[in-house]
Amino acid sequence: EPEVTQTPSHQVTQMGQEVILRCVPISNHLYFYWYRQILGQKVEFLVSFYNNEISEKSEIFDDQFSVERPDGSNFTLKIRSTKLEDSAMYFCASSRDTGLAGVALDTQYFGPGTRLTVL
Amino acid sequence: DAKTTQPTSMDCAEGRAANLPCNHSTISGNEYVYWYRQIHSQGPQYIIHGLKNNETNEMASLIITEDRKSSTLILPHATLRDTAVYYCIVRGRLGNQFYFGTGTSLTVIP
């Protein structure tokens, strides 16, 4: 069964450094998402991406964050200058296109996550 | 998207059915009920979803009341590996994101 994969599983970085988290969505999916979960807290939406542009983003997704689909298979989340409070699990998800413009009704499938630790 | 209310925690004996309730009294006609679970710190795992009819798949059954204001996720024969946090999410057709609440922490007891 196809699944979303993420690398690395654990990333340790120094405060102020840039990090790139990578995701390979399910191959026939066209909607991509990033969520994060700070330890002991809820899973929070960051951003959704469709047709090479951001379709929705939360307040958390500020100018320090960016997303990119650099090729036909990868989907990345970049944090430009990490802060201590960016330490969290970051989950990538993907879903199919329903065929209706702008409507991602279909189920989102999540990857195993990347644990980001900022020191 | 409509808000959901779930019990904070539940226990279930191994081999018995686990029935996890969810209230979504403000659900509107075009909103779906989704269930996901999260085992420890793994990625949320899709379980099942429905609109108004009851649904069943290889993992679980979803019973939605006729007025759609509440639903129950049923794991027919709970195993220790079903210990997880279960999230009930209501999502509209045009929504892109899922709102995860605090969910129900299910512990399956040997």
Side-chain angles (χ1 to χ4, degrees), chain A residues 33 35 37 56 104-105 108, chain B residues 34 36 38 91 96-98:
Chain A
Y33 314 82
Y35 291 78
Q37 186 175 33
E56 190 177 10
L105 170 64
Q108 293 181 19
Chain B
Y34 278 78
Y36 278 76
Q38 189 176 25
R91 182 165 177 263
N96 279 351
Q97 56 174 289
F98 283 113

Side-chain angles (χ1 to χ4, degrees), chain A residues 95-106:
Chain A
S95 64
R96 288 187 297 152
D97 190 346
T98 59
L100 302 173
V103 178
L105 170 64
D106 219 348

Side-chain angles (χ1 to χ4, degrees), chain B residues 33 35 48-50 53-56 60-64 71-73:
Chain B
V33 180
W35 283 84
I48 199 166
H49 75 282
N53 298 323
N54 297 338
E55 301 287 344
T56 296
S61 294
L62 174 61
I63 308 297
I64 302 174
S71 60
T72 301
L73 178 76

Side-chain angles (χ1 to χ4, degrees), chain A residues 32-65:
Chain A
F32 314 114
Y33 314 82
W34 284 100
Y35 291 78
R36 79 170 186 192
Q37 186 175 33
I38 295 170
L39 185 64
Q41 298 187 23
K42 300 177 190 177
V43 176
E44 300 173 291
F45 169 76
L46 292 178
V47 66
S48 60
F49 190 85
Y50 173 72
N51 202 24
N52 281 321
E53 59 184 31
I54 291 172
S55 52
E56 190 177 10
K57 62 181 180 179
S58 71
E59 289 177 356
I60 303 168
F61 194 87
D62 61 22
D63 292 344
Q64 292 299 314
F65 291 89

Side-chain angles (χ1 to χ4, degrees), chain B:
Chain B
D1 294 337
K3 196 171 175 177
T4 63
T5 305
Q6 299 177 252
T8 304
S9 63
M10 292 180 64
D11 292 339
C12 177
E14 188 179 16
R16 305 296 293 266
N19 297 287
L20 292 94
C22 178
N23 285 323
H24 31 80
S25 58
T26 60
I27 193 170
S28 60
N30 62 355
E31 289 182 318
Y32 284 72
V33 180
Y34 278 78
W35 283 84
Y36 278 76
R37 72 181 182 184
Q38 189 176 25
I39 297 172
H40 196 46
S41 294
Q42 297 176 24
Q45 178 188 22
Y46 166 75
I47 302 173
I48 199 166
H49 75 282
L51 183 61
K52 45 186 165 183
N53 298 323
N54 297 338
E55 301 287 344
T56 296
N57 64 19
E58 64 278 2
M59 288 183 71
S61 294
L62 174 61
I63 308 297
I64 302 174
T65 57
E66 198 166 329
D67 64 7
R68 300 188 69 238
K69 293 185 177 182
S70 65
S71 60
T72 301
L73 178 76
I74 301 172
L75 308 178
H77 305 287
T79 70
L80 299 179
R81 285 178 294 182
D82 292 322
T83 292
V85 178
Y86 287 78
Y87 299 99
C88 168
I89 302 166
V90 169
R91 182 165 177 263
R93 288 181 65 88
L94 297 180
N96 279 351
Q97 56 174 289
F98 283 113
Y99 289 100
F100 286 84
T102 51
T104 296
S105 178
L106 175 71
T107 302
V108 180
I109 302 167

